[in-house]
Amino acid sequence: LLYYQPKVKLDTGLIGGVEALLRWQRPGHGLVFPAEFVSVMEQTGMIVRVGEWIIDSACRQVAAWIADGTGAVRVAVNVSSRQFVEGDLEASVVAALERHGVDAHLLELELTESALMSNADHTIAVLGKLRARGIRIAIDDFGTGYSSLAYLKRFPIDKLKIDIAFVRDVTVNPDDAAIALAII
């Protein structure tokens, strides 16, 4: 299942988009969170097919929100490094956008630093093509992976999402506040 977590703009309090979050409704066990099953999907390669399903489902939902009058909502989707290596991320994204008639600017792809660094030159090329189409690119969990600013400037990104380890206590821990401020 996909759950859509609102992204609230702090300056206005309005919803500025959503993030698609994968959950598994396991019969007889209830709702299973990604920490318990995503690593198995990564190891087996299922993450590529599931990732394609997530992108397609998110685009379908955006189209449904437009059709029902909710309006155009930007949706962020997490992308696995294996989708770059084993899948054809560009083709699956473009196909999903076209299939559901969704404008590219309504899709944001989130990658971890480790996903970016997996075959960096190929990743840069693919992200460049996607970004040229209008798709937004974000680095998720920033600060916990490679965090090399020299590498960071090579990637066509629009947004850094600072890892929760640095922002959870930002109002009470001066070290966390200093790190977050430096990143900003």
Side-chain angles (χ1 to χ4, degrees):
L1 306 170
L2 286 183
Y3 282 75
Y4 295 94
Q5 177 176 289
K7 294 170 132 185
V8 178
K9 294 181 179 185
L10 292 179
D11 59 341
T12 64
L14 299 174
I15 294 175
V18 297
E19 181 172 356
L21 301 173
L22 182 64
R23 300 293 182 261
W24 176 23
Q25 184 66 47
R26 184 175 175 198
H29 291 86
L31 202 59
V32 182
F33 290 90
E36 300 179 48
F37 65 87
V38 168
S39 62
V40 174
M41 290 191 318
E42 286 277 359
Q43 293 166 7
T44 62
M46 281 182 61
I47 196 70
V48 176
R49 284 192 3 228
V50 172
E52 290 172 353
W53 174 83
I54 291 169
I55 291 167
D56 188 73
S57 297
C59 289
R60 182 182 320 109
Q61 184 61 62
V62 170
W65 283 327
I66 292 169
D68 74 11
T70 299
V73 178
R74 177 177 288 138
V75 65
V77 174
N78 291 292
V79 177
S80 163
S81 60
R82 288 192 77 163
Q83 286 178 266
F84 282 96
V85 176
E86 298 172 20
D88 187 346
L89 181 64
E90 181 184 6
S92 63
V93 166
V94 170
L97 291 169
E98 289 176 355
R99 184 169 30 260
H100 300 291
V102 173
D103 288 332
H105 77 279
L106 294 175
L107 183 63
E108 181 175 296
L109 301 179
E110 294 187 1
L111 301 92
T112 61
E113 292 171 83
S114 57
L116 286 172
M117 300 310 294
S118 177
N119 194 351
D121 291 333
H122 174 69
T123 301
I124 290 167
V126 172
L127 292 180
K129 291 176 187 176
L130 291 170
R131 192 163 180 246
R133 290 181 176 274
I135 297 160
R136 295 182 52 95
I137 309 296
I139 297 179
D140 199 8
D141 301 329
F142 183 75
T144 59
Y146 293 90
S147 301
S148 167
L149 297 179
Y151 271 108
L152 185 61
K153 74 177 191 172
R154 294 179 56 202
F155 292 99
I157 60 167
D158 299 293
K159 185 186 299 184
L160 289 178
K161 291 178 63 182
I162 303 171
D163 188 76
I164 194 167
F166 301 112
V167 295
R168 180 183 297 120
D169 297 323
V170 75
T171 60
V172 295
N173 184 323
D175 291 336
D176 287 352
I179 291 170
L181 184 58
I183 293 170
I184 292 166

